[in-house]
């Protein structure tokens, strides 16, 4: 299930030179499926594409938003169409042509760009994805006609978020918890699955740790080895 929203910015330079107005085009496509197995996105990944709009529209497209609502006991998977993704962080900002902002029930999970080590993001709630075009020389441009992401529905996961990472040999990969630096929602969990090729090992270093004080529970970080092909389980 998903709802797509296209947002365009119209410049009224002829009538009101100093003002801008946002125009929105909304298209809804919500296939009904009670179980995640019955959804079209469960059988095969569904590409998130932007249809070609009429040239008569008065402004270029500035951003596109998809709203994904998985069925009960389902999970949303975000899969790059080509290459991998990376998180936009102060140390590694998005300097490319498009930025993907992922939100979880209204809370921003993070911003992502192409050319990274993240090859899958799983979210156990409703998800919105906003693709924003870059601004060059004060003019917005929409750079892609091909799909930006593939999405699929899969079985319910134990965590709120699972991020699968495939680091390149000799290239450091910088990762941050969802909603950094504001902080994750209470009682939320996140797991990173790091795929390491045979005969290689991964070194984990903590660059910046801030641990909140909780009233009746505490935060923790756990490490668990996972064999190839086995499901992720919470360490006890």
């Amino acid at each position: 299930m998903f709802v797509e929203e296209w947002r365009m910015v119209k410049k009224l330079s002829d009538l009101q030179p100093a003002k801008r107005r946002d125009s929105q085009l909304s298209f809804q496509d919500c296939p009904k499926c009670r179980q995640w197995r019955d959804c079209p996105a469960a059988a095969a990944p569904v590409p998130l594409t932007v249809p070609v709009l009429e040239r008569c529209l008065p402004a270029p497209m500035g951003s596109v938003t998809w709203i994904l609502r998985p069925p009960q006991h389902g999970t949303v998977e975000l899969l790059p169409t080509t290459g991998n993704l990376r998180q936009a962080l102060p140390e590694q900002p998005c300097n490319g042509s498009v930025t993907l902002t992922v939100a979880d029930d209204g809370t921003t999970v993070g911003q992502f760009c192409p050319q990274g080590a993240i090859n899958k993001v799983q979210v156990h709630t409703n998800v919105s994805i906003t693709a924003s075009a870059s601004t060059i020389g004060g003019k917005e441009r929409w750079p892609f006609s091909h799909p930006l992401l593939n999405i699929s529905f899969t079985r319910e996961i134990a965590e709120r978020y699972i991020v699968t990472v495939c680091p390149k040999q000799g290239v450091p990969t910088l990762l941050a918890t969802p909603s950094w630096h504001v902080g994750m929602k209470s009682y939320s969990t996140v797991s990173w699955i790091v795929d390491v090729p045979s005969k290689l090992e991964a070194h984990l270093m903590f660059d910046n740790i801030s641990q909140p004080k909780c009233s009746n529970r505490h935060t923790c970080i756990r490490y668990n080895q996972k064999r190839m092909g086995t499901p992720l389980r919470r360490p006890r």
Side-chain angles (χ1 to χ4, degrees), residues 8-125:
M8 304 191 329
V9 178
K10 179 182 179 182
K11 294 183 179 179
L12 302 180
S13 56
D14 295 335
L15 300 178
Q16 300 175 3
K19 296 183 179 180
R20 290 169 62 95
R21 185 177 68 191
D22 288 349
S23 299
Q24 295 183 358
L25 294 176
S26 297
F27 304 87
Q28 295 188 355
D29 183 7
C30 297
K32 295 181 179 180
C33 45
R34 295 183 178 180
Q35 299 293 329
W36 67 269
R37 294 183 181 87
D38 302 328
C39 297
V46 175
L48 297 184
T49 58
V50 180
V52 179
L53 300 180
E54 295 294 334
R55 295 184 178 181
C56 62
L57 293 175
M61 192 166 356
S63 65
V64 184
T65 298
W66 294 272
I67 300 175
L68 312 175
R69 299 189 179 102
Q72 188 178 11
H73 305 303
T75 296
V76 178
E77 285 189 345
L78 309 180
L79 307 166
T81 54
T82 57
N84 292 324
L85 300 173
R86 63 182 176 88
Q87 286 180 273
L89 299 169
E91 297 85 351
Q92 54 179 26
C94 285
N95 296 322
S97 54
V98 66
T99 300
L100 301 171
T101 302
V102 178
D104 155 24
D105 281 336
T107 300
T108 299
V109 175
Q111 291 186 322
F112 299 88
C113 330
Q115 299 179 353
I118 299 173
N119 73 348
K120 181 166 61 176
V121 178
Q122 296 171 282
V123 184
H124 186 199
T125 56

Side-chain angles (χ1 to χ4, degrees), residues 68 148 234:
L68 312 175
L148 298 175
R234 289 185 183 180

